[in-house]
Amino acid sequence: MKRRDDAERARALILDIDHLLRGHLAREDADLYPAMMGAADPRTRALGTSAAGEMGGLLGVWTDYRDHWTVATILGGTRRFAAVTGGVIGALSLRIEMENDVLYPAMDRPDGGAARDAA
């Protein structure tokens, strides 16, 4: 019975994380990356374009993960669940690191977040 309890706890954690993560990822995809791609500074524009290409699809990956891994699918493939979870957590960690170390500092530079002048 412990396996079922573990699967239920894992599913509950997925839903808890989803509650915190989904809005955050959606806001960044809708606001941060477009703001960076429209910045006056060419380095910031390039970073925004690169980040959107590399990380912009993470919300969809997360949603697929959340929807797929129910208690039943966790119980039916515990090793696969562990491997997939490691990959998803790794991608989320990379995104957080990129945001904190590269993207947010770029937006904080003078003119880093300013929109380009319309010609």
Side-chain angles (χ1 to χ4, degrees):
M1 196 57 144
K2 184 174 179 350
R3 275 185 47 152
R4 176 163 276 293
D5 290 345
D6 290 344
E8 289 172 353
R9 277 196 298 275
R11 179 64 183 165
L13 286 171
I14 290 168
L15 295 176
D16 288 347
I17 292 168
D18 181 65
H19 179 73
L20 299 170
L21 188 63
R22 199 168 4 113
H24 176 83
L25 293 176
R27 278 189 305 278
E28 287 179 345
D29 290 349
D31 298 329
L32 177 63
Y33 298 149
M36 292 185 78
M37 289 186 285
D41 177 57
R43 294 172 301 165
T44 303
R45 286 196 308 272
L47 277 173
T49 300
S50 175
E54 291 177 29
M55 298 292 183
L58 194 51
L59 178 58
V61 169
W62 171 258
T63 301
D64 290 346
Y65 170 84
R66 177 205 63 206
D67 292 347
H68 178 76
W69 292 106
T70 63
V71 170
T73 56
I74 293 169
L75 286 170
T78 55
R79 286 189 178 156
R80 179 79 178 127
F81 171 70
V84 171
T85 298
V88 169
I89 297 301
L92 290 169
S93 296
L94 180 62
R95 182 165 168 159
I96 291 166
E97 185 178 322
M98 181 188 293
E99 290 168 359
N100 291 337
D101 295 347
V102 178
L103 301 182
Y104 295 141
M107 290 298 288
D108 288 340
R109 286 194 313 254
D111 293 328
R116 288 180 287 190
D117 294 331

